[in-house]
């Protein structure tokens, strides 16, 4: 945020423009071309070598891709990044764990990436209220076995009451709900992170001199960062 603030001051000094971060276009072609090339030094949350490699494979084209990658690039869900990339490039090959989940998982190519998706799965498949689904999420996160068994039974019975089979309920609970609720990232948090990432990427793509000056000023006492930014 400090780097963004300094960058805006530099842009005003060099061009006279007073940019408002809230008014940036979120479909800037140069941003996504730069990120698709893995040129993300100084881009919030997207600097690491592993993330850059995945960006080159994914070739993001919209903010939604950055939101998903932000949520997926962490221990646990990281193993699903290749599946997300494959879905991005071949959407017709995407398979859904159950047809009822297609509207919930379409944006993430059949993968439950966010905690909110897990809550909606419990709501749509098993008739849980969102409050009940959140109790389920907490039980999974804290690995409370007694509550988990109780919730599993409730999920399967709720699914049967809505016309699904016992086997479908078991499969969804054990293979989708439990694993994803255990590490699923909060979508609202991922969106905020991705927005800041996009803003820093926008500055780098469109005002590289100003943003590099802001970065180097901020990192002036960190020799390793200065060398990296100079490179």
């Amino acid at each position: 945020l400090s780097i963004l603030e300094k960058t805006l001051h530099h842009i005003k000094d060099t061009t006279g423009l007073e940019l408002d971060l809230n008014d940036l276009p979120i479909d800037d072609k140069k941003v996504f071309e730069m990120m698709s090339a893995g040129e993300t030094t100084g881009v919030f949350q997207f600097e690491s070598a592993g993330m850059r490699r995945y960006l080159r494979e994914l070739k993001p084209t919209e903010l939604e891709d950055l939101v998903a990658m932000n949520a997926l690039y962490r221990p646990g869900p990281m193993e699903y990044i290749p599946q997300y990339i494959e879905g991005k490039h071949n959407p017709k090959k995407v398979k859904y764990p159950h047809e009822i989940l297609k509207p919930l998982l379409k944006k993430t190519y059949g993968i439950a990436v966010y905690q909110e998706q897990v809550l909606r799965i419990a709501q749509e498949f098993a008739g849980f209220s969102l409050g009940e689904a959140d109790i389920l999420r907490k039980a999974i996160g804290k690995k409370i076995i007694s509550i988990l068994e109780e919730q599993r039974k409730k999920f399967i019975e709720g699914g049967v009451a809505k016309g699904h089979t016992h086997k479908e309920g078991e499969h969804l609970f054990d293979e989708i709900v439990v694993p994803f609720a255990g590490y699923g990232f909060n979508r609202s948090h991922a969106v905020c992170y991705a927005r800041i990432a996009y803003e820093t990427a926008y500055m780098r793509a469109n005002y590289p001199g100003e943003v590099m000056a802001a970065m180097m000023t901020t990192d002036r006492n960190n020799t390793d960062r200065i060398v990296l930014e100079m490179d």
Side-chain angles (χ1 to χ4, degrees):
L1 296 177
S2 298
I3 289 168
L4 282 169
E5 187 178 24
K6 287 187 179 78
T7 302
L8 293 178
H9 285 309
H10 291 329
I11 292 169
K12 186 179 178 184
D13 288 344
T14 57
T15 69
L17 287 174
E18 291 194 44
L19 293 182
D20 184 338
L21 294 177
N22 294 318
D23 292 336
L24 298 181
I26 60 165
D27 56 355
D28 188 88
K29 191 178 176 184
K30 284 164 75 175
V31 170
F32 293 107
E33 285 176 352
M34 182 187 80
M35 296 193 82
S36 295
E39 295 293 331
T40 51
T41 301
V43 176
F44 179 65
Q45 294 277 305
F46 287 86
E47 278 195 304
S48 72
M51 179 64 95
R52 290 163 74 172
R53 185 180 74 249
Y54 282 130
L55 285 174
R56 286 192 287 269
E57 292 175 16
L58 175 65
K59 305 209 177 304
T61 56
E62 58 182 336
L63 188 67
E64 200 61 49
D65 288 331
L66 307 186
V67 177
M69 286 300 289
N70 205 284
L72 287 168
Y73 194 77
R74 53 199 71 247
M78 195 178 280
E79 64 180 280
Y80 293 96
I81 292 177
Q83 188 179 333
Y84 181 87
I85 292 170
E86 177 65 22
K88 169 83 174 171
H89 297 309
N90 298 289
K92 288 183 180 176
K93 291 184 180 179
V94 174
K95 293 179 181 175
Y96 296 92
H98 192 286
E99 196 59 29
I100 199 172
L101 306 186
K102 189 173 180 180
L104 307 181
L105 303 180
K106 191 173 182 182
K107 274 189 178 180
T108 49
Y109 309 113
I111 309 165
V113 174
Y114 313 111
Q115 285 185 0
E116 289 88 340
Q117 286 174 306
V118 176
L119 302 187
R120 290 293 310 282
I121 288 170
Q123 184 184 35
E124 295 295 326
F125 181 86
F128 280 39
S129 70
L130 286 176
E132 289 171 329
D134 200 45
I135 292 169
L136 168 64
R137 178 192 63 78
K138 287 175 185 171
I140 293 168
K142 292 178 180 176
K143 298 179 173 62
I144 307 167
I145 301 301
S146 59
I147 300 177
L148 261 180
E149 284 301 320
E150 182 186 300
Q151 292 290 321
R152 185 177 189 271
K153 184 182 176 189
K154 185 178 176 182
F155 183 91
I156 293 167
E157 288 176 352
V160 169
K162 292 197 76 172
H164 307 299
T165 67
H166 193 278
K167 192 173 181 181
E168 286 174 331
E170 285 183 324
H171 172 73
L172 265 189
F173 191 87
D174 296 337
E175 303 298 323
I176 306 296
V177 172
V178 171
F180 285 96
Y183 60 63
F185 201 62
N186 185 295
R187 175 175 163 80
S188 54
H189 197 160
V191 169
C192 294
Y193 271 18
R195 174 71 197 197
I196 297 171
Y198 180 86
E199 289 169 3
T200 53
Y202 182 91
M203 296 303 163
R204 185 179 154 159
N206 291 281
Y207 301 96
E210 288 84 352
V211 79
M212 283 296 169
M215 283 166 57
M216 294 176 78
T217 301
T218 302
D219 295 328
R220 61 189 176 277
N221 296 320
N222 185 336
T223 307
D224 290 343
R225 284 292 305 182
I226 290 288
V227 170
L228 177 70
E229 288 154 8
M230 287 171 68
D231 287 345

